Amino acid sequence: MDHQVFEIDALPLLGGGTLTGARIGYAVQGSLDPDGRNAVLCPSFFGGDHTGYDWLIGEGLPLDTSRYCVITAGLFGNGVSSSPSNHPSGADFPLITPQDNVAAQHRLLTEHLGVRELALVTGWSMGAAHSYQWAVSHPGMVRRIAPVCGSAVTSEHNRVFLTGLAAALAADGGAERGQRAAGRVFAGWAASHPFWAGRSYRDMGFTDREGYLAGFWEQFFLAGPAATDLLAMVRTWEHADVGATPGHDGSADAALSSVTAEAVLLPAALDQCFAVADEERAAGLMPHTALEVIPGVWGHLAGAGANPADREFVGGALRRLLARQPAADAVPAG
C-alpha cells in the first residue's frame, strides 16, 4: 500500500516549542463522501506504519472501504512520519505527546483531506491511546471510538516495561544488539503465561521458543524504525495522559467524563501491558461506552489480530459499533 506525506511548516507542541517541517505519512483507502462524514481514522502503533491495519481494511472487511474512507496515519517517530532519523533536529528531536500527534492529524484531515466528521477512530496499543485522545481533543468531530489493547493514561506498571524497553534500545549505542535485546524484552510482556506454557507460538509456524524470539521479535525490531525513532515513540507512550489536555486541569477522570463519542473498549483478558481493570474504570467514566474483553491467551498481541479468533472478535466489535446509532448528545455538531 503506497503512502503519501502531509507537511506542516510549524506544529506547536504541548510541552512548549515547535516541531518545524513536520511530516505525516498516511494512506487512504476508500472514498470520502461529498459531505466529508464517512471517514475512519486509524492512528499507527509502536513501530507500525500505514500498513499496520490492513487486516481490518477493505471491501467486506470490518472497516469496509465500499462504505468508509479509511485513513491510516503514522505517528511521529515511526520512521515514515517525522522522526529522529529523518528530521533535521536528529538527536534533538522534541518530545511528542499524543496531544501533538492528534493536533497534526487534525490538520491533515481537515485542511488537506476535507474530513468534517469521523465515523470512528480506532487503533491498537499506542493507536488506542490516540483514539482516546481524539475523543477528548475533538469531541465535536468524533462519533465513535474503539481503543484496542490500550489505555487513556499510561500506567505505572506500563512505565516499568517502557523503562526496560528503552534501556535495551539504547544498549550498544542503539545498534543491532540493542534492537535484538529490545525484541526479547517486548516478547515477555506481549503474551501471557498460558501463551508460553502452551507454546502457542507454534500457531505462528515457530517450532520452539528460541525460533519465535529470534524469528519474530528480533526481526520486528530489526526490520522496523531505527532505535532512535523507537526511543522517541517510547517517550510519546510514556506521556499518554488525556488529563494533560488543556481544559481538564490534569484530571484524566474529567477528560474521560467529557467524552461524548459512542465507544467500545477492547482490552485483552491477559494483556500484561494494559490491564483490563484500567479499561473497566475508564468505561465507568465515559457516558456511552461498552466494554468487550478479548478472550484467550494471546495477551497484548490479541489486538493486532495475531490469530483468527482474535481477528473475528475485534472485527465483530467494530462492525457492531459502526452499526450503532450514536445517542443524541453523542452526535457531533455541524
Side-chain angles (χ1 to χ4, degrees):
M1 177 68 187
D2 292 335
H3 73 277
Q4 302 175 66
V5 173
F6 175 65
E7 300 186 5
I8 301 172
D9 289 341
L11 179 70
L13 301 176
L14 181 68
T18 301
L19 180 65
T20 58
R23 296 162 58 90
I24 303 174
Y26 71 96
V28 179
Q29 300 183 61
S31 300
L32 189 66
D33 285 349
D35 65 2
R37 297 180 184 275
N38 72 322
V40 172
L41 176 67
C42 301
S44 69
F45 45 83
F46 181 78
D49 61 15
H50 51 280
T51 66
Y53 300 107
D54 283 355
W55 63 279
L56 285 169
I57 303 169
E59 290 195 20
L61 293 177
L63 304 182
D64 190 340
T65 50
S66 68
R67 298 184 59 195
Y68 298 103
C69 176
V70 184
I71 302 144
T72 52
L75 301 181
F76 292 126
N78 79 336
V80 179
S81 298
S82 292
S83 309
S85 68
N86 63 24
H87 191 267
S89 61
D92 294 323
F93 192 76
L95 167 66
I96 303 292
T97 65
Q99 288 85 351
D100 300 325
N101 272 304
V102 168
Q105 292 165 14
H106 183 263
R107 292 188 61 177
L108 163 67
L109 297 183
T110 59
E111 297 176 11
H112 183 59
L113 297 178
V115 174
R116 295 184 61 197
E117 182 178 293
L118 286 165
L120 172 68
V121 185
T122 185
W124 171 60
S125 196
M126 284 184 74
H130 288 76
S131 302
Y132 276 115
Q133 190 58 57
W134 260 99
V136 172
S137 292
H138 299 286
M141 189 174 174
V142 179
R143 291 175 69 92
R144 305 171 185 86
I145 64 168
V148 185
C149 294
S151 64
V153 180
T154 298
S155 70
E156 284 297 293
H157 186 228
N158 199 321
R159 289 191 174 99
V160 172
F161 156 61
L162 293 174
T163 297
L165 186 63
L169 285 167
D172 198 28
E176 179 178 317
R177 187 165 60 181
Q179 290 170 294
R180 290 184 183 277
R184 290 173 181 259
V185 169
F186 212 140
W189 286 75
S192 68
H193 182 280
F195 171 94
W196 292 102
R199 296 174 172 79
S200 295
Y201 47 76
R202 292 180 296 192
D203 295 339
M204 301 172 70
F206 296 98
T207 57
D208 56 30
R209 181 183 66 251
E210 182 59 27
Y212 174 57
L213 290 172
F216 182 83
W217 282 105
E218 288 187 7
Q219 288 306 310
F220 174 82
F221 278 83
L222 290 172
T228 54
D229 297 345
L230 292 173
L231 285 165
M233 297 195 83
V234 166
R235 294 181 71 202
T236 300
W237 187 339
E238 287 175 330
H239 284 79
D241 182 354
V242 292
T245 309
H248 296 287
D249 297 323
S251 171
D253 286 7
L256 289 171
S257 298
S258 75
V259 171
T260 58
E262 291 276 346
V264 59
L265 311 186
L266 294 165
L270 298 176
D271 192 338
Q272 298 185 91
C273 295
F274 298 96
V276 172
D278 290 344
E279 294 301 272
E280 289 175 339
R281 188 172 187 281
L285 292 166
M286 297 163 62
H288 310 289
T289 302
L291 180 79
E292 298 187 27
V293 180
I294 306 170
V297 304
W298 286 74
H300 191 56
L301 286 177
N307 66 87
D310 294 337
R311 289 194 290 273
E312 182 176 352
F313 190 97
V314 173
L318 295 181
R319 291 181 193 273
R320 291 189 296 274
L321 178 61
L322 283 165
R324 189 191 311 169
Q325 292 302 310
D329 61 341
V331 176

